Amino acid sequence: MVRAEAVHKSFGHVEVLKGIDLEVGAREVMCIIGPSGSGKSTFLRCINHLEKINAGRLWVDGHLVGYREKGGTLHELPDREVAAQRRDIGMVFQRFNLFPHMTALENVVEAPIRVKGMAKDAARARGTELLERVGLADRVHNYPNQLSGGQQQRVAIARALAMEPKLMLFDEPTSALDPELVGEVLDVMRGLAQDGMTMVVVTHEMGFAREVGDTLVFMDDGVIVEAGDPRDVLSDPHHERTKAFLSKVL
């Protein structure tokens, strides 16, 4: 579902990604861990072209992301085509980014109606079903300021799912939440994994990575230091840098 080859990304003179190679299979859950500033979130944003890569190639479901290749040269796609690619990639951010003037249901149905042209009645029925799926059947008509952080994040997940994505990206989805609200969001993500959703999750939740992840990737200073089965990496890391990091977070 995702393939990265020698992906580089710089901001000015600062090289943030220094040649990332990885693959995520369909229905696989990949968890990415590492210290702040290691490039985890930047890589996630590159997958859906929110950040443009400086070198390398990124494919989602067999299609180059953000570019067309002609004669060995990459040509950036027009905004309209990039937006069309993004329809298949759901993304959930640290901050919930809900529209404050819209109810939970209105937040969920906005994109299917405006972007996909879905009929309003069908979109509302689907949106209600998705909010029920994330445990918010009784919050359909609440505005974001009437919801807890965990509830807002679950609305954000339902909103991403409303576009029926092939791939879900989660950028530290629980890091802005109070500790007692983390579990309700992780439970929704567990359900998605059980349903076969392909997911790439940047996270600090090691228990979730161990339990739900198929692959665990440890990044530091813009490179992948270690990758493998989450249980193996967490219990018996091979690299000293991985050991040092895990000794502080486990």
Side-chain angles (χ1 to χ4, degrees):
M1 184 60 73
V2 180
R3 182 156 64 98
E5 283 187 3
V7 170
H8 288 255
K9 172 66 184 175
S10 297
F11 294 103
H13 297 297
V14 180
E15 192 176 19
V16 178
L17 300 177
K18 302 174 181 178
I20 301 295
D21 295 288
L22 60 72
E23 290 188 3
V24 184
R27 303 174 69 88
E28 181 180 339
V29 178
M30 175 178 283
C31 294
I32 303 177
I33 63 172
S36 296
S38 58
K40 309 181 301 294
S41 294
T42 298
F43 176 67
L44 208 67
R45 293 170 64 86
C46 288
I47 294 176
N48 65 0
H49 207 60
L50 286 175
E51 298 290 354
K52 301 174 185 179
I53 63 176
N54 299 115
R57 303 283 190 278
L58 259 171
W59 292 264
V60 171
D61 199 24
H63 300 284
L64 263 180
V65 175
Y67 298 92
R68 182 181 294 109
E69 189 163 7
K70 214 171 183 182
T73 304
L74 292 183
H75 302 272
E76 190 167 5
L77 294 174
D79 290 345
R80 180 184 293 269
E81 291 184 46
V82 173
Q85 286 186 332
R86 286 200 191 112
R87 292 179 199 173
D88 292 330
I89 306 171
M91 186 155 185
V92 178
F93 300 87
Q94 292 181 37
R95 297 289 170 182
F96 325 120
N97 296 335
L98 299 178
F99 297 116
H101 63 292
M102 293 183 180
T103 65
L105 182 59
E106 288 167 345
N107 265 281
V108 172
V109 303
E110 179 73 3
I113 291 170
R114 286 185 177 269
V115 178
K116 283 194 160 184
M118 187 182 281
K120 286 186 179 179
D121 287 349
R124 290 179 73 84
R126 173 71 175 144
T128 302
E129 181 186 306
L130 286 169
L131 286 168
E132 188 174 331
R133 180 178 176 183
V134 299
L136 294 173
D138 58 340
R139 294 286 189 265
V140 169
H141 301 300
N142 285 78
Y143 288 89
N145 66 1
Q146 298 171 315
L147 301 172
S148 70
Q151 289 168 336
Q152 290 186 61
Q153 192 62 294
R154 285 185 280 156
V155 173
I157 292 172
R159 180 177 61 180
L161 292 174
M163 292 296 285
E164 300 182 330
K166 299 173 182 174
L167 169 68
M168 284 285 283
L169 308 176
F170 292 88
D171 187 8
E172 298 188 22
T174 60
S175 65
L177 300 178
D178 291 333
E180 67 268 24
L181 302 177
V182 168
E184 62 192 48
V185 173
L186 294 181
D187 283 344
V188 171
M189 294 169 65
R190 282 188 191 92
L192 290 179
Q194 288 164 4
D195 291 344
M197 175 62 73
T198 309
M199 298 158 59
V200 183
V201 184
V202 171
T203 185
H204 294 296
E205 302 293 336
M206 300 302 163
F208 175 84
R210 179 186 283 111
E211 178 193 344
V212 181
D214 297 295
T215 307
L216 183 65
V217 171
F218 172 63
M219 284 182 65
D220 186 36
D221 195 28
V223 299
I224 293 174
V225 176
E226 189 162 353
D229 182 287
R231 289 149 290 277
D232 294 340
V233 175
L234 292 173
S235 62
D236 187 23
H238 290 200
H239 292 264
E240 290 303 320
R241 184 65 190 92
T242 317
K243 291 176 184 176
F245 174 78
L246 291 176
S247 71
K248 293 183 174 70
V249 298
L250 286 179

